[in-house]
Each structure stands twice: as structure tokens, then as C-alpha cells.
Amino acid sequence: MSRKFSWRTASAALLLIPALGLTACSSQGGRAPEPDASAQGAVADTPRLKVAMITHAPAGDTFWDIVRKGAEAAAAKDNIDLQYLSDPEGGNQAQLIEQAVDQGVDGIAVTLAKPDAVAGALAKAKAAGIPITSLNGGEDRYRELGAFANFGSNERAAGEAVGQKLLDENYKKPICVIQVQGHVGLEARCAGVKSKIPATEVLYVQGTDMTQVQSTTTAKLQTSKDVDVIIGLGAPISLTLLKSVAEANSSAKVASFDMNAEMAQKIVDGEILFTVDQQPWLQGYESVDAIWLDSVGGFALGGGQPVPTGPSIVDKDNAKAVLKFAEEGLR
């Protein structure tokens, strides 16, 4: 694997390094960048690196705030100038990757929700000798697309875990709600559930419009009285599904994927059955830290295999223990 060591001369370390100047979409996820206080101990004395993290995060999804917080913690520890950018559209995400390549970054951490859309841009990054890591999916294609490490949860396995747990608890008629049609990870989650409970029905909604999510799922529950559980594939979606269940006067329960503090509290309170946590803070942290490890010693985690950060089921038995970390923005 080639590694890029273009430190822009030693004098660059004496200057305040500006933002990468990437155009198009700005970072999203509901909060602005902030100095990271999570990293402990001294900052690495290795040459300063520029790393771009480019995700498919939609606006307002708290999951990505947690990913970003982990990435910022690694950057603070490793003396990295981190630029976080996102766009839910695959073509726009590819443009952000190409702009990072043009800016001569020292590493790229990227999500692979729509791998075909970003394949060409990642090929340019690889040809330029820029180390690439992937996170939050793409474990079946990351090497093909030029990444040397992958951090995330196997989405099919996570879906199977949800399906088996629901089956064990005697749920027989689930609806699995997908908020981004064509997103390979979300499709894999529902496919995993369906592999365990063949009666599972998939419902597509527009995840960037919670009013539409609620109205669509409410209408579905009103006409499908036999549905006994509805599954959201992200914490904000699942919290909205609770409103749909109430509005439709449905007896269906709600299960979920992913975590935030409100989700953890709803599980503690018994309003949501469980969620599947993939530990997004770790995904952000490790995908950035792996680039630093590669630069200082050619180190690679995983022994050539994806590094799993989940799935881990959080239910009424362990939600209280997780809640305090969720309140700190770590889970």
C-alpha cells in the first residue's frame, strides 16, 4: 500500500493551517465544529497531517454528530487538521472526494453508502497515493475501492440479529422502514430482518422530512392492523415512529437501529423495545486514527479484514448503563 508523505515542508508546522477550502456542501449533522476536549494526554509530535472525512450524512441526524466527535478526538490526539464534510447524494459526495484530492490531503476517511457513485473519485485518490479508510458500511467492497481499512458493523448481520430477537420475542409481522432508497447499508438491514421473519414488509420514506415520515407510517399502520412491530433504521426515524404508532392508535411496538440519548431513555422507559448500536464514535475515531497509524509506521488494523464496531443490542437490561454515555454524546 502506498502512503503519501507530503508535509509541505517543515515550516508548515509553524503556521496555523487553514481549512482545506473544499467547496460545495458544508458539514452537516446539527452542530458546528468545536475544539475537542475528549483526547487525553499529549498531542502527537509527528508531522501535521491534513485529513478529510467525507460522509453521506443528512442534515440533522444525531448519529453523525457522534461519528464526528470520535473523528475530532482522534484528530486532536494525532496532530491532524481534520475537515469534516458531508452530502447524502452520491454524486456530490464524489465531488467532495475529488476536491480533497485536488487539495493534496494526506488521508481520506469516507463512507460507502453508494459505492458505485464514489468509485471513480476514490480511484483518483488511490492514484494520487492518498491513504483511504472507510467507515459505516462498505465492508464487502472497501478494498476494491482503494481503502486499506474499514470500521463499522456488518449491516446484514445486524439485521439478522434484530430479526432473531424479534422472532424470539414472538413478533411475526414487522415493517422495516427505509429512509433512503438505494442506500446499500439500510437495504441490507431490512434484508437481514426479512431473512429471519419472511413476512417482514419494507416501507420507504423520505428521511429528510420527518413530517412525511410520520404521515406515511401513520397511514400504513392505519391500514395494516396486523403489524406487531415497526423498525426504524436510525434514532430520529424511530422516535418519529413512536408518534405514528400513537396517531394510528396501533398496538405495534417500535424497535430500532442506532443510538442517541433520547433513544436510550426511551428504552429505559419501556417505550422502545431495543436498538442495535454500532458505536459510531469508534467508527469516527478509528477511521482517522488509522490514517495516522499508517503514516507513522505503516500499521494496519484488522489483519486485512473489516474491523467490526457492532452490532450490539441495547435493551431494557443494559440501557441504563449505556444512557450516561449517550448523554455525553459518546453512544
Side-chain angles (χ1 to χ4, degrees):
M1 168 177 43
S2 62
R3 297 186 300 280
K4 187 178 180 184
F5 291 93
S6 54
W7 310 126
R8 319 292 192 273
T9 77
S11 61
L14 303 178
L15 302 176
L16 289 175
I17 299 178
L20 296 182
L22 303 184
T23 58
C25 297
S26 62
S27 59
Q28 301 182 30
R31 69 176 183 86
E34 60 185 33
D36 192 287
S38 300
Q40 299 180 0
V43 176
D45 62 359
T46 49
R48 189 156 175 84
L49 301 177
K50 287 185 179 181
V51 172
M53 174 173 278
I54 301 167
T55 79
H56 63 278
D61 190 333
T62 53
F63 176 93
W64 295 100
D65 290 343
I66 303 173
V67 170
R68 184 174 177 179
K69 191 168 186 177
E72 289 170 346
K77 177 183 73 71
D78 294 338
N79 192 26
I80 286 174
D81 177 16
L82 177 71
Q83 182 74 9
Y84 177 94
L85 298 162
S86 64
D87 196 297
E89 296 298 326
N92 293 339
Q93 192 183 7
Q95 289 180 10
L96 293 175
I97 294 168
E98 290 183 0
Q99 290 163 16
V101 174
D102 292 342
Q103 291 291 331
V105 298
D106 301 299
I108 293 174
V110 64
T111 59
L112 301 174
K114 297 180 179 179
D116 292 335
V118 299
L122 290 176
K124 292 179 181 179
K126 184 177 181 181
I130 298 173
I132 303 164
T133 61
S134 64
L135 66 148
N136 189 245
E139 64 276 354
D140 57 339
R141 295 191 63 185
Y142 75 98
R143 286 195 167 275
E144 166 199 339
L145 295 174
F148 70 88
N150 174 273
F151 303 93
S153 178
N154 184 298
E155 303 291 18
R156 173 75 182 214
E160 290 172 358
V162 168
Q164 187 61 55
K165 185 169 178 63
L166 291 174
L167 196 62
D168 291 345
E169 296 181 8
N170 205 33
Y171 290 95
K172 299 177 180 178
K173 184 66 175 176
I175 290 178
C176 192
V177 180
I178 295 181
Q179 68 266 32
V180 182
Q181 191 163 3
H183 184 307
V184 294
L186 301 182
E187 299 281 355
R189 287 178 174 183
C190 286
V193 176
K194 191 174 180 66
S195 72
K196 297 294 183 178
I197 309 177
T200 301
E201 184 176 354
V202 173
L203 177 67
Y204 291 98
V205 298
Q206 183 60 48
T208 56
D209 183 352
M210 288 301 170
T211 300
Q212 190 269 352
V213 172
Q214 184 174 342
S215 63
T216 300
T217 53
T218 296
K220 181 63 178 177
L221 289 169
Q222 287 172 334
T223 58
S224 302
K225 297 298 185 181
D226 57 341
V227 171
D228 52 10
V229 61
I230 186 165
I231 307 160
L233 303 188
I237 300 294
S238 300
L239 293 168
T240 300
L241 297 184
L242 280 177
K243 299 176 183 178
S244 295
V245 168
E247 186 178 0
N249 195 28
S250 171
S251 60
K253 302 299 183 182
V254 176
S256 186
F257 287 76
D258 299 335
M259 173 74 69
N260 63 19
E262 187 176 0
M263 170 65 64
Q265 187 63 61
K266 293 293 186 184
I267 296 171
V268 170
D269 295 341
E271 296 183 47
I272 289 179
L273 294 174
F274 61 85
T275 194
V276 179
D277 184 25
Q278 57 178 306
Q279 301 183 107
W281 192 96
L282 273 182
Q283 293 177 15
Y285 185 96
E286 293 296 351
S287 60
V288 171
D289 191 51
I291 292 171
W292 177 77
L293 289 169
D294 176 67
S295 75
V296 299
F299 300 116
L301 298 173
Q305 300 297 318
V307 179
T309 63
S312 173
I313 290 180
V314 177
D315 59 16
K316 61 183 179 181
D317 293 331
N318 60 353
K320 282 186 178 180
V322 171
L323 178 59
K324 68 173 184 176
F325 299 115
E327 289 173 339
E328 294 170 3
L330 300 177
R331 295 290 296 271

